[in-house]
Amino acid sequence: MPTETFQHLSSQKKQNIKTALLKELSTYPLATAQVARIVKTAGVARGTFYKYFADLVDAHQWLLMTVIKDLDLHPERLVQQIGRAYDHEAMIETLMKRIQQSDYAVFLKNYYESNEGFLVAQGIKYQQLERLDAKQWAIMVLCHQTIQECLMNPGDQQAIIQRLGAALVGIIGG
């Protein structure tokens, strides 16, 4: 995660770096992304980048957590909402609209296409999932898979969400 130095930057400088990271990591897989392009876009020196992040994977993780926060995709909150929701499909449709109408849709598609597997191979995982009980974990895995499939196959989104709704009714009850 970002260093203390990054935390003390002005909001404009943070935004410039976020915009540059988003551009790079939406365009290129993490394995071929380049700090050189990021710093050029952000208007910072290469050495400065490393004062903010340990490496490109660290910067990616920060951006991913920022996206999760900005889109309100926190696993615990999502599981709670689904556990209470009567219309699971409508809730996931709303979530997908939020993603698709955001600046993050291409980044998330690239994450699912290329970067998730790369990060797993690096031994990096999303720690919050480990705190979920078995039912919550099952819900999150299904939601995660649904988001991935909807981003990869937007023409099939309705059928994908309906399948999730049926699965959630089976898990939660309806």
Side-chain angles (χ1 to χ4, degrees), residues 11-98:
S11 58
Q12 184 60 52
K13 284 186 180 182
K14 285 182 189 176
Q15 183 60 45
N16 290 348
I17 292 166
K18 177 183 168 187
T19 300
L21 283 168
L22 187 60
K23 180 180 177 186
E24 181 74 9
L25 297 171
S26 294
T27 306
Y28 300 96
L30 189 52
T32 60
Q34 294 180 2
V35 172
R37 287 189 294 253
I38 294 167
V39 298
K40 182 177 180 182
T41 302
V44 298
R46 185 178 182 93
T48 303
F49 177 87
Y50 292 105
K51 288 184 179 181
Y52 302 151
F53 302 101
D55 53 26
L56 196 50
V57 171
D58 188 41
H60 180 277
Q61 290 301 96
W62 171 78
L63 182 59
L64 181 60
M65 293 301 111
T66 300
V67 168
I68 288 169
K69 180 182 174 193
D70 288 355
L71 292 175
D72 198 25
L73 298 175
H74 302 284
E76 294 89 352
R77 197 170 304 137
L78 187 60
V79 167
Q80 290 169 355
Q81 289 171 343
I82 290 173
R84 290 192 307 260
Y86 292 109
D87 190 348
H88 305 105
E89 292 173 38
M91 193 184 112
I92 296 301
E93 282 177 13
T94 301
L95 173 65
M96 286 309 304
K97 282 181 188 170
R98 224 172 40 233

Side-chain angles (χ1 to χ4, degrees), residues 74-165:
H74 302 284
E76 294 89 352
R77 197 170 304 137
L78 187 60
V79 167
Q80 290 169 355
Q81 289 171 343
I82 290 173
R84 290 192 307 260
Y86 292 109
D87 190 348
H88 305 105
E89 292 173 38
M91 193 184 112
I92 296 301
E93 282 177 13
T94 301
L95 173 65
M96 286 309 304
K97 282 181 188 170
R98 224 172 40 233
I99 291 170
Q100 291 162 342
Q101 293 171 353
S102 75
D103 293 333
Y104 303 130
V106 177
F107 169 78
L108 287 171
K109 184 177 181 193
N110 198 27
Y111 170 76
Y112 284 118
E113 280 180 334
S114 305
N115 297 333
E116 184 178 40
F118 177 82
L119 292 167
V120 168
Q122 301 288 317
I124 297 169
K125 56 186 174 177
Y126 192 56
Q127 302 296 327
Q128 284 80 351
L129 292 178
E130 294 175 355
R131 295 190 295 232
L132 301 176
D133 65 31
K135 184 176 177 181
Q136 293 170 330
W137 176 82
I139 292 167
M140 282 310 305
V141 168
L142 289 171
C143 289
H144 180 90
Q145 184 66 28
T146 299
I147 293 167
Q148 178 180 8
E149 288 183 28
C150 286
L151 287 168
M152 298 301 155
N153 306 292
D156 298 333
Q157 180 171 313
Q158 195 62 39
I160 294 165
I161 291 173
Q162 286 174 350
R163 186 178 64 210
L164 172 67

